[in-house]
Amino acid sequence: MKLTVAAQPKNVIRKFQLLLFPEQDAKLFYKMFFSRWFLWRVVMLFLTNLYKFGSHWSDSQKEAKLQQLKNDRIKKIWDYMYHQQGKEIKRLMDSAYIKSGQAE
């Protein structure tokens, strides 16, 4: 009897599953998945902040360079005017220079 039952064709059950997480060792999988996820979040945050810092630093450097060029130009103009004028203008320029130093 047993041989007859075993020899008969059996119904095949087809089962379709879409598993997002494994059935075995789920704890280990969660630990690995979320630790990597957290690590990637930290890395991305670091890179984002590094990019922001770099762009801010670059903008600050450009602004400082432009300000320095402006100050150099003003200094050259001041020296040129000072050496080209007479005593009266030099006194006025000296008093303006002293007053500007007191204002700071």
Side-chain angles (χ1 to χ4, degrees):
M1 252 326 177
K2 287 184 181 180
L3 289 175
T4 314
V5 171
Q8 289 181 353
K10 297 181 181 170
N11 294 335
V12 177
I13 300 173
R14 294 188 180 182
K15 188 175 170 184
F16 179 75
Q17 287 183 328
L18 179 64
L19 295 175
L20 297 176
F21 300 104
E23 292 179 6
Q24 289 95 15
D25 292 331
K27 213 177 220 185
L28 177 64
F29 178 79
Y30 293 144
K31 186 185 285 186
M32 289 175 59
F33 177 78
F34 288 114
S35 65
R36 287 181 186 163
W37 178 78
F38 181 73
L39 177 66
W40 279 112
R41 296 271 301 193
V42 168
V43 167
M44 295 309 281
L45 181 66
F46 173 74
L47 291 175
T48 303
N49 287 339
L50 182 66
Y51 174 76
K52 286 180 183 177
F53 172 76
S55 63
H56 177 69
W57 183 79
S58 176
D59 291 344
S60 297
Q61 290 296 317
K62 286 178 186 175
E63 178 127 3
K65 188 178 262 188
L66 289 174
Q67 188 66 32
Q68 185 64 36
L69 290 172
K70 181 181 174 186
N71 289 343
D72 288 346
R73 187 171 181 216
I74 291 171
K75 186 176 183 271
K76 285 179 185 178
I77 293 169
W78 182 273
D79 289 340
Y80 175 78
M81 292 294 294
Y82 192 80
H83 293 297
Q84 295 295 322
Q85 301 300 322
K87 289 183 181 182
E88 184 62 33
I89 300 295
K90 284 184 181 180
R91 262 190 250 125
L92 287 172
M93 289 177 77
D94 288 337
S95 66
Y97 182 75
I98 291 169
K99 287 179 184 176
S100 70
Q102 291 173 353
E104 294 174 6

